[in-house]
């Protein structure tokens, strides 16, 4: 995985093969399969590259079909579904070894003024008052931390004042670990990359399970993001996550994303495989 913000930016810079066809490089990683946030972010970059100037992504919806091979590049094939005056739509197929591993549909809109409301931001400790990586993973060792050095992650204590007592809720302060380029695409793609990190962990909280628990098979199945307001991925954002349901070997997580000044900037949803081979 990217060992720095510079490597993350390079990872998001796709090679143009021909019109609407791109190649995504692979980072140096010890992971056995491609991180879902990587294929999400690279697919979004491929889609944006084909959209006329003036349009901004307002939503994306995706499905993970097969595990990605970390040893070969990923090919991104973009289909121009619709070009309208206010909205346009792109569909991206990510392929390896001649087979699709991932599909994404992204919708874009010319920014405009309209009715405004939002949920209030929950009252939580500031990121400076939360301990970096505390309780994040039992794999907290130098090799694992290098995989995620491009991101800074600080869990909000569950016992914080006015915190929810929902058994499947977790809150995290997240940002890129250094300043990113100012362009909107890099900021959006970096957030999309990070958005896949912690959601399935939340779905396992009521059951005392983690990615490392014996007999657990865990993988992202789908991922959706709605972008509400502009924000920067290299400034602290609060990932307010809750899992309303787990059943049939699958867990659903929903998340609100708040900028530090209290704006609701995005909403995320993900369902994942949380199959237990060692009983319930």
């Amino acid at each position: 995985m990217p060992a720095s913000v510079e490597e993350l930016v390079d990872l998001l810079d796709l090679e143009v093969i021909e019109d609407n066809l791109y190649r995504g490089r692979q980072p140096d990683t010890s992971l056995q399969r491609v991180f879902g946030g990587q294929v999400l972010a690279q697919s979004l970059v491929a889609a944006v590259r084909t959209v006329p100037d003036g349009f901004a992504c307002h939503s994306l919806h995706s499905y993970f079909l097969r595990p990605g091979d970390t040893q070969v590049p990923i090919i991104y094939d973009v289909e121009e579904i619709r070009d309208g005056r206010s909205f346009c739509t792109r569909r991206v197929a990510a392929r390896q070894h001649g087979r699709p591993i991932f599909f994404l549909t992204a919708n874009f809109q010319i920014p405009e003024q309209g009715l405004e409301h939002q949920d209030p931001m929950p009252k939580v400790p500031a990121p400076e008052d939360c301990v970096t990586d505390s309780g994040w993973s039992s794999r907290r060792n130098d090799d694992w931390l290098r995989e995620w050095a491009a991101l800074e992650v600080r869990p909000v204590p569950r016992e914080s004042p006015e915190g929810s007592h929902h058994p499947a809720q977790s809150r995290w302060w997240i940002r890129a670990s250094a300043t990113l380029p100012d362009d909107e695409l890099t900021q959006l793609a970096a957030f999309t990359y990070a958005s896949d990190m912690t959601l399935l962990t939340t779905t396992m909280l009521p059951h005392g399970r983690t990615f490392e628990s014996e007999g657990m098979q865990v993988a992202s199945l789908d991922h959706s993001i709605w972008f509400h307001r502009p924000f920067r991925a290299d400034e602290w954002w609060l990932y307010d996550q809750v899992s309303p349901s787990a059943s049939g070997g699958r867990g659903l997580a929903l998340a609100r994303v708040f900028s530090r000044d209290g704006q609701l900037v995005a909403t995320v949803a993900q369902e994942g495989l949380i199959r237990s081979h060692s009983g319930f």
Side-chain angles (χ1 to χ4, degrees), residues 63-263:
Y63 283 94
F64 297 90
L65 306 176
R66 296 180 176 89
D69 184 346
T70 61
Q71 301 303 308
V72 299
I74 304 174
I75 303 301
Y76 296 95
D77 187 358
V78 184
E79 183 180 359
E80 299 182 6
I81 301 297
R82 175 178 181 264
D83 283 301
R85 288 179 294 180
S86 299
F87 292 89
C88 66
T89 305
R90 297 292 184 266
R91 184 163 55 207
V92 182
R95 295 189 176 90
Q96 284 182 317
H97 305 296
R99 299 190 302 174
I101 65 169
F102 176 84
F103 277 113
L104 174 143
T105 301
N107 218 41
F108 300 81
Q109 180 187 13
I110 296 289
E112 61 183 74
Q113 297 296 313
L115 303 176
E116 288 268 350
H117 76 270
Q118 68 161 73
D119 284 350
M121 181 178 177
K123 295 180 179 179
V124 298
E128 292 80 10
D129 298 325
C130 300
V131 179
T132 301
D133 291 316
S134 173
W136 156 237
S137 173
S138 62
R139 296 175 295 177
R140 283 177 290 160
N141 54 62
D142 290 342
D143 289 339
W144 189 84
L145 288 175
R146 276 195 295 270
E147 293 276 2
W148 305 100
L151 300 171
E152 188 171 0
V153 179
R154 299 189 180 188
V156 176
R158 289 176 60 81
E159 64 274 12
S160 61
E162 299 189 38
S164 169
H165 298 290
H166 194 294
Q169 182 178 62
S170 63
R171 289 166 172 161
W172 304 74
W173 285 108
I174 303 176
R175 67 177 178 182
S177 58
T179 302
L180 291 164
D182 290 333
D183 66 280
E184 182 178 352
L185 176 55
T186 300
Q187 296 284 339
L188 208 63
F191 164 77
T192 299
Y193 176 91
S195 70
D196 188 43
M197 286 185 64
T198 57
L199 290 166
L200 293 187
T201 301
T202 305
T203 69
M204 294 182 281
L205 281 175
H207 313 284
R209 308 292 180 90
T210 70
F211 283 85
E212 296 81 35
S213 295
E214 182 179 356
M216 287 302 299
Q217 182 182 0
V218 182
S220 302
L221 296 175
D222 57 40
H223 195 98
S224 295
I225 306 176
W226 294 263
F227 298 103
H228 308 310
R229 296 167 179 87
F231 68 105
R232 294 184 66 97
D234 56 5
E235 297 179 354
W236 288 115
W237 42 276
L238 179 68
Y239 214 10
D240 181 26
Q241 302 165 85
V242 65
S243 176
S245 176
S247 63
R250 305 183 315 278
L252 175 66
L254 308 176
R256 301 179 300 175
V257 182
F258 293 91
S259 60
R260 187 165 184 171
D261 63 1
Q263 291 194 78

